[in-house]
């Protein structure tokens, strides 16, 4: 049924639920799993009076975020290896998480995206947005959302 499944994770307890379901689906269908963590770019300040960090400091922070992201996706890879599931661990640097998820799913030729949703409602959803909603709205690949 599925040949390649992308699981979007941020390392949180909620996204771990998506990882577990993704692994279970891959195990049942014999699919390969692609574990993805999207890393934001370091925000630049352009406002008067804002404190800009030196390029070396920004590089150091982004390298730390990359290392932490690799730990998250490598943990998924290790969990997959225990179940004899082939897992490709990748990271993507983008400020637009939903676009990065969709682009990587296409690039990896995935036929399912698995992700978690915080289930925010009302003003919180309006203020914080929903990456899951954006993926659901713009993806041409089926999406399994877990709460």
């Amino acid at each position: 049924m599925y040949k390649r499944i992308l699981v979007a994770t941020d390392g949180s307890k909620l996204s771990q639920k998506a990882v577990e379901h993704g692994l279970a689906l891959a195990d049942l269908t014999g699919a390969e799993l692609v574990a993805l963590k999207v890393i934001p770019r370091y925000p630049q300040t352009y406002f008067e009076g804002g404190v800009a960090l030196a390029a070396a400091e920004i590089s150091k922070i982004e390298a730390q975020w990359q290392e932490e992201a690799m730990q998250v996706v490598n943990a998924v890879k290790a969990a997959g290896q225990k179940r004899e599931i082939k897992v490709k661990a990748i990271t993507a640097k983008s400020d637009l998480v939903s676009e990065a998820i969709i682009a990587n799913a296409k690039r990896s030729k995935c036929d399912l995206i698995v992700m978690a949703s915080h289930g925010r409602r009302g003003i919180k959803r309006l203020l914080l947005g929903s990456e899951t909603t954006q993926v659901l709205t713009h993806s041409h690949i089926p999406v399994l959302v877990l709460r």
Side-chain angles (χ1 to χ4, degrees), residues 70-81:
M70 284 307 300
Q71 289 175 359
V72 169
V73 293
N74 283 333
V76 177
K77 187 173 185 172
Q81 287 173 337

Side-chain angles (χ1 to χ4, degrees), residues 95-147:
D95 292 325
L96 303 170
V97 175
S98 58
E99 285 184 15
I101 291 169
I102 294 167
N104 278 280
K106 285 180 188 176
R107 190 174 304 117
S108 298
K109 295 180 173 62
C110 294
D111 37 29
L112 180 68
I113 298 171
V114 178
M115 59 191 306
S117 173
H118 291 280
R120 293 185 182 106
R121 294 190 185 334
I123 193 74
K124 282 185 182 179
R125 181 172 179 194
L126 181 65
L127 293 174
L128 298 174
S130 171
E131 297 300 337
T132 306
T133 300
Q134 291 298 314
V135 173
L136 283 168
T137 303
H138 300 290
S139 177
H140 296 290
I141 299 168
V143 181
L144 173 62
V145 179
L146 300 158
R147 283 189 173 178

Side-chain angles (χ1 to χ4, degrees), residues 44-53:
Q44 300 294 322
T45 180
Y46 298 106
F47 298 107
E48 188 176 325
V51 179
L53 291 178

Side-chain angles (χ1 to χ4, degrees), residues 18-48:
V19 168
E20 290 300 322
H21 276 75
L23 287 167
L25 272 172
D27 196 17
L28 286 171
T29 62
E32 178 183 333
L33 197 76
V34 177
L36 171 68
K37 166 103 171 74
V38 179
I39 308 161
R41 297 182 196 284
Y42 189 84
Q44 300 294 322
T45 180
Y46 298 106
F47 298 107
E48 188 176 325

